[in-house]
Amino acid sequence: MDAVAEPWSRRALVPAAGVAASALMLFGLQLPGWGHLVLVAAIGLGWWMDRELGLDLALIGVGIAIVSTTSVEADVEWGAFFRIGTVLALAVAVPFLLDRLLLRRRAITFPWRSRQKKTRLELAYLFAVPVLGWLILPFYFIRSGAYQNWPHITDLSELLRFFVGVNAVGTWDELFFICTCFALLRRHLPVLPANLIQAVIFVSFLWELGYRAWGPLLTFPFALLQGYLFARTRSLGYVLSVHLLFDAIVFLAIVHAHNPGWIPIFIY
């Protein structure tokens, strides 16, 4: 991931924050017309300030706009399964291909692993993640009632689709929010503001997906931590492992919430 050039321009915060605001309007507030208007205005302002900034915000905006073409509320029906999967795949693939084929750059990459050795704390965190999920997620889903934003599933085929969907969306989160949005923002901003902006986009999407009520109190710190870990480790494999370990508990907790007699391993 490219480091931001010094000195960085604080003016870049304004259009970048505008892109994040558009995601909040599109996914969180469900205001498609206004959200798209803010997105176009933010990209235009970025382009007016600096061509490279405008290009990078445009790539993020293309991904956001593609996702906004359909509802991403949790649904395991076959039609929704393929519709959402196709849209999310395009939201990653199109900015990547535009970056490589049209702009002739390598600003978007997916560095599976780095040569940097993981610290003991980073390795320990991998083991701590499922434990933290076991402690936190059932309490959140059941006490807030947010589990009802996912369908009540008892059929084996639907359970398998739900499991695949949870892992596919978790993988997509890292490919788009971290390797695309965060990496492109880092070309113009230091880690902290870039991370805050990608976290707003991340959490806005998760809100529409189903993490509502007081879900952002959990998802915003998680998004920030994922960005920080990626900046530190430069390893998609590491942050993806963290995410999928957490999502494994998400799957179990939601299934248990709908069917309390199943998987009785949680305390809430």
Side-chain angles (χ1 to χ4, degrees):
M1 180 171 54
D2 295 335
V4 63
E6 295 292 346
W8 65 282
S9 173
R10 286 175 172 79
R11 294 194 309 160
L13 279 170
V14 177
V19 170
S22 74
L24 179 61
M25 296 172 73
L26 288 168
F27 306 130
L29 302 179
Q30 296 290 295
L31 297 171
W34 289 106
H36 289 111
L37 181 62
V38 169
L39 179 61
V40 171
I43 293 170
L45 178 60
W47 194 288
W48 177 72
M49 289 180 174
D50 178 77
R51 182 176 179 274
E52 282 295 309
L53 174 61
L55 287 173
D56 290 333
L57 293 181
L59 292 180
I60 297 172
V62 165
I64 290 173
I66 290 173
V67 176
S68 74
T69 62
T70 190
S71 169
V72 294
E73 291 185 0
D75 190 342
V76 295
E77 294 293 330
W78 279 114
F81 186 80
F82 286 113
R83 169 176 50 81
I84 296 173
T86 299
V87 167
L88 295 186
L90 288 172
V92 169
V94 173
F96 175 79
L97 292 174
L98 288 173
D99 181 59
R100 293 296 174 86
L101 303 180
L102 181 63
L103 302 179
R104 304 291 182 180
R105 310 183 313 180
R106 294 181 61 87
I108 300 174
T109 61
F110 306 107
W112 181 249
R113 52 184 301 189
S114 67
R115 296 180 180 179
Q116 181 178 332
K117 188 176 180 179
K118 303 295 182 294
T119 67
R120 289 183 178 179
L121 183 60
E122 289 164 354
L123 292 174
Y125 181 59
L126 283 174
F127 292 94
V129 164
V131 177
L132 291 170
W134 176 77
L135 289 171
I136 297 170
L137 289 171
F139 183 85
Y140 159 62
F141 283 123
I142 295 171
R143 298 289 183 174
S144 71
Y147 74 93
Q148 296 177 29
N149 297 323
W150 281 263
H152 186 179
I153 300 170
T154 56
D155 179 75
L156 178 59
S157 175
E158 291 183 340
L159 280 171
L160 291 174
R161 267 176 274 155
F162 182 41
F163 179 76
V164 171
V166 167
N167 285 275
V169 171
T171 301
W172 180 85
D173 288 340
E174 301 305 323
L175 296 178
F176 184 67
F177 299 118
I178 301 301
C179 291
T180 302
C181 296
F182 183 52
L184 290 172
L185 290 167
R186 279 289 290 123
R187 289 164 53 85
H188 308 277
L189 301 169
V191 169
L192 181 57
N195 204 16
L196 287 169
I197 290 169
Q198 74 81 18
V200 171
I201 304 172
F202 198 151
V203 172
S204 299
F205 170 81
L206 291 179
W207 178 273
E208 182 177 356
L209 183 64
Y211 291 86
R212 299 171 191 167
W214 41 273
L217 296 178
L218 301 178
T219 56
F220 193 75
F222 180 75
L224 287 176
L225 186 56
Q226 289 297 94
Y228 169 77
L229 289 172
F230 185 69
R232 181 180 176 85
T233 65
R234 298 175 181 269
S235 170
L236 170 60
Y238 179 79
V239 295
L240 183 56
S241 297
V242 169
H243 199 134
L244 294 185
L245 284 169
F246 201 70
D247 278 355
I249 308 301
V250 168
F251 170 78
L252 295 175
I254 293 175
V255 171
H256 170 75
H258 280 292
N259 307 279
W262 296 11
I263 324 173
I265 61 172
F266 299 109
I267 300 173
Y268 48 87

PDB file of all heavy atoms in Angstrom, residues 240-254:
ATOM      1  N   LEU A 240      -8.078 -10.697   6.669  1.00  0.00           N
ATOM      2  CA  LEU A 240      -9.173 -11.552   6.233  1.00  0.00           C
ATOM      3  C   LEU A 240      -9.379 -12.702   7.218  1.00  0.00           C
ATOM      4  O   LEU A 240     -10.521 -13.082   7.517  1.00  0.00           O
ATOM      5  CB  LEU A 240      -8.902 -12.092   4.836  1.00  0.00           C
ATOM      6  CG  LEU A 240     -10.006 -12.948   4.208  1.00  0.00           C
ATOM      7  CD1 LEU A 240     -11.324 -12.188   4.165  1.00  0.00           C
ATOM      8  CD2 LEU A 240      -9.602 -13.397   2.811  1.00  0.00           C
ATOM      9  N   SER A 241      -8.289 -13.261   7.739  1.00  0.00           N
ATOM     10  CA  SER A 241      -8.404 -14.316   8.741  1.00  0.00           C
ATOM     11  C   SER A 241      -9.125 -13.809   9.980  1.00  0.00           C
ATOM     12  O   SER A 241      -9.999 -14.490  10.531  1.00  0.00           O
ATOM     13  CB  SER A 241      -7.012 -14.838   9.124  1.00  0.00           C
ATOM     14  OG  SER A 241      -6.369 -15.432   8.023  1.00  0.00           O
ATOM     15  N   VAL A 242      -8.770 -12.602  10.419  1.00  0.00           N
ATOM     16  CA  VAL A 242      -9.455 -11.999  11.559  1.00  0.00           C
ATOM     17  C   VAL A 242     -10.944 -11.872  11.279  1.00  0.00           C
ATOM     18  O   VAL A 242     -11.797 -12.249  12.099  1.00  0.00           O
ATOM     19  CB  VAL A 242      -8.852 -10.612  11.882  1.00  0.00           C
ATOM     20  CG1 VAL A 242      -9.734  -9.855  12.878  1.00  0.00           C
ATOM     21  CG2 VAL A 242      -7.436 -10.759  12.431  1.00  0.00           C
ATOM     22  N   HIS A 243     -11.263 -11.349  10.108  1.00  0.00           N
ATOM     23  CA  HIS A 243     -12.666 -11.088   9.764  1.00  0.00           C
ATOM     24  C   HIS A 243     -13.469 -12.391   9.685  1.00  0.00           C
ATOM     25  O   HIS A 243     -14.588 -12.481  10.209  1.00  0.00           O
ATOM     26  CB  HIS A 243     -12.744 -10.355   8.424  1.00  0.00           C
ATOM     27  CG  HIS A 243     -14.040  -9.668   8.192  1.00  0.00           C
ATOM     28  ND1 HIS A 243     -14.145  -8.386   7.716  1.00  0.00           N
ATOM     29  CD2 HIS A 243     -15.318 -10.082   8.368  1.00  0.00           C
ATOM     30  CE1 HIS A 243     -15.408  -8.038   7.618  1.00  0.00           C
ATOM     31  NE2 HIS A 243     -16.155  -9.068   8.009  1.00  0.00           N
ATOM     32  N   LEU A 244     -12.915 -13.409   9.038  1.00  0.00           N
ATOM     33  CA  LEU A 244     -13.660 -14.651   8.860  1.00  0.00           C
ATOM     34  C   LEU A 244     -13.806 -15.421  10.169  1.00  0.00           C
ATOM     35  O   LEU A 244     -14.815 -16.122  10.369  1.00  0.00           O
ATOM     36  CB  LEU A 244     -12.989 -15.513   7.788  1.00  0.00           C
ATOM     37  CG  LEU A 244     -13.006 -14.929   6.367  1.00  0.00           C
ATOM     38  CD1 LEU A 244     -12.436 -15.925   5.368  1.00  0.00           C
ATOM     39  CD2 LEU A 244     -14.411 -14.494   5.952  1.00  0.00           C
ATOM     40  N   LEU A 245     -12.840 -15.309  11.055  1.00  0.00           N
ATOM     41  CA  LEU A 245     -12.998 -15.911  12.384  1.00  0.00           C
ATOM     42  C   LEU A 245     -14.153 -15.248  13.125  1.00  0.00           C
ATOM     43  O   LEU A 245     -14.962 -15.921  13.782  1.00  0.00           O
ATOM     44  CB  LEU A 245     -11.700 -15.773  13.187  1.00  0.00           C
ATOM     45  CG  LEU A 245     -10.566 -16.724  12.802  1.00  0.00           C
ATOM     46  CD1 LEU A 245      -9.275 -16.295  13.478  1.00  0.00           C
ATOM     47  CD2 LEU A 245     -10.915 -18.164  13.178  1.00  0.00           C
ATOM     48  N   PHE A 246     -14.228 -13.929  13.011  1.00  0.00           N
ATOM     49  CA  PHE A 246     -15.323 -13.195  13.641  1.00  0.00           C
ATOM     50  C   PHE A 246     -16.658 -13.565  12.993  1.00  0.00           C
ATOM     51  O   PHE A 246     -17.664 -13.768  13.681  1.00  0.00           O
ATOM     52  CB  PHE A 246     -15.060 -11.695  13.509  1.00  0.00           C
ATOM     53  CG  PHE A 246     -15.804 -10.850  14.506  1.00  0.00           C
ATOM     54  CD1 PHE A 246     -15.474 -10.879  15.845  1.00  0.00           C
ATOM     55  CD2 PHE A 246     -16.824 -10.004  14.099  1.00  0.00           C
ATOM     56  CE1 PHE A 246     -16.141 -10.092  16.776  1.00  0.00           C
ATOM     57  CE2 PHE A 246     -17.511  -9.215  15.016  1.00  0.00           C
ATOM     58  CZ  PHE A 246     -17.165  -9.265  16.358  1.00  0.00           C
ATOM     59  N   ASP A 247     -16.657 -13.679  11.664  1.00  0.00           N
ATOM     60  CA  ASP A 247     -17.892 -13.990  10.944  1.00  0.00           C
ATOM     61  C   ASP A 247     -18.383 -15.409  11.225  1.00  0.00           C
ATOM     62  O   ASP A 247     -19.589 -15.687  11.101  1.00  0.00           O
ATOM     63  CB  ASP A 247     -17.698 -13.797   9.442  1.00  0.00           C
ATOM     64  CG  ASP A 247     -17.852 -12.342   9.021  1.00  0.00           C
ATOM     65  OD1 ASP A 247     -18.206 -11.516   9.891  1.00  0.00           O
ATOM     66  OD2 ASP A 247     -17.615 -12.022   7.842  1.00  0.00           O
ATOM     67  N   ALA A 248     -17.469 -16.302  11.569  1.00  0.00           N
ATOM     68  CA  ALA A 248     -17.905 -17.649  11.942  1.00  0.00           C
ATOM     69  C   ALA A 248     -18.814 -17.588  13.168  1.00  0.00           C
ATOM     70  O   ALA A 248     -19.827 -18.299  13.245  1.00  0.00           O
ATOM     71  CB  ALA A 248     -16.695 -18.535  12.227  1.00  0.00           C
ATOM     72  N   ILE A 249     -18.483 -16.712  14.106  1.00  0.00           N
ATOM     73  CA  ILE A 249     -19.321 -16.546  15.296  1.00  0.00           C
ATOM     74  C   ILE A 249     -20.599 -15.790  14.945  1.00  0.00           C
ATOM     75  O   ILE A 249     -21.659 -16.054  15.509  1.00  0.00           O
ATOM     76  CB  ILE A 249     -18.551 -15.811  16.406  1.00  0.00           C
ATOM     77  CG1 ILE A 249     -17.196 -16.496  16.653  1.00  0.00           C
ATOM     78  CG2 ILE A 249     -19.354 -15.790  17.697  1.00  0.00           C
ATOM     79  CD1 ILE A 249     -17.309 -17.959  17.054  1.00  0.00           C
ATOM     80  N   VAL A 250     -20.516 -14.853  13.984  1.00  0.00           N
ATOM     81  CA  VAL A 250     -21.723 -14.171  13.502  1.00  0.00           C
ATOM     82  C   VAL A 250     -22.729 -15.198  12.994  1.00  0.00           C
ATOM     83  O   VAL A 250     -23.916 -15.165  13.353  1.00  0.00           O
ATOM     84  CB  VAL A 250     -21.376 -13.166  12.382  1.00  0.00           C
ATOM     85  CG1 VAL A 250     -22.645 -12.685  11.680  1.00  0.00           C
ATOM     86  CG2 VAL A 250     -20.612 -11.978  12.948  1.00  0.00           C
ATOM     87  N   PHE A 251     -22.270 -16.112  12.153  1.00  0.00           N
ATOM     88  CA  PHE A 251     -23.139 -17.149  11.596  1.00  0.00           C
ATOM     89  C   PHE A 251     -23.777 -17.985  12.705  1.00  0.00           C
ATOM     90  O   PHE A 251     -25.003 -18.169  12.734  1.00  0.00           O
ATOM     91  CB  PHE A 251     -22.321 -18.042  10.658  1.00  0.00           C
ATOM     92  CG  PHE A 251     -23.045 -19.280  10.207  1.00  0.00           C
ATOM     93  CD1 PHE A 251     -23.997 -19.222   9.206  1.00  0.00           C
ATOM     94  CD2 PHE A 251     -22.777 -20.513  10.803  1.00  0.00           C
ATOM     95  CE1 PHE A 251     -24.675 -20.363   8.793  1.00  0.00           C
ATOM     96  CE2 PHE A 251     -23.442 -21.655  10.398  1.00  0.00           C
ATOM     97  CZ  PHE A 251     -24.397 -21.581   9.391  1.00  0.00           C
ATOM     98  N   LEU A 252     -22.968 -18.469  13.628  1.00  0.00           N
ATOM     99  CA  LEU A 252     -23.484 -19.319  14.706  1.00  0.00           C
ATOM    100  C   LEU A 252     -24.456 -18.558  15.598  1.00  0.00           C
ATOM    101  O   LEU A 252     -25.492 -19.094  16.003  1.00  0.00           O
ATOM    102  CB  LEU A 252     -22.324 -19.858  15.538  1.00  0.00           C
ATOM    103  CG  LEU A 252     -21.341 -20.805  14.820  1.00  0.00           C
ATOM    104  CD1 LEU A 252     -20.183 -21.160  15.742  1.00  0.00           C
ATOM    105  CD2 LEU A 252     -22.055 -22.058  14.340  1.00  0.00           C
ATOM    106  N   ALA A 253     -24.129 -17.297  15.899  1.00  0.00           N
ATOM    107  CA  ALA A 253     -24.970 -16.509  16.801  1.00  0.00           C
ATOM    108  C   ALA A 253     -26.335 -16.213  16.191  1.00  0.00           C
ATOM    109  O   ALA A 253     -27.364 -16.270  16.876  1.00  0.00           O
ATOM    110  CB  ALA A 253     -24.261 -15.206  17.175  1.00  0.00           C
ATOM    111  N   ILE A 254     -26.365 -15.882  14.899  1.00  0.00           N
ATOM    112  CA  ILE A 254     -27.642 -15.574  14.253  1.00  0.00           C
ATOM    113  C   ILE A 254     -28.507 -16.833  14.137  1.00  0.00           C
ATOM    114  O   ILE A 254     -29.716 -16.794  14.390  1.00  0.00           O
ATOM    115  CB  ILE A 254     -27.412 -14.928  12.872  1.00  0.00           C
ATOM    116  CG1 ILE A 254     -26.778 -13.539  13.037  1.00  0.00           C
ATOM    117  CG2 ILE A 254     -28.724 -14.813  12.096  1.00  0.00           C
ATOM    118  CD1 ILE A 254     -26.392 -12.872  11.739  1.00  0.00           C
TER     119      ILE A 254
END
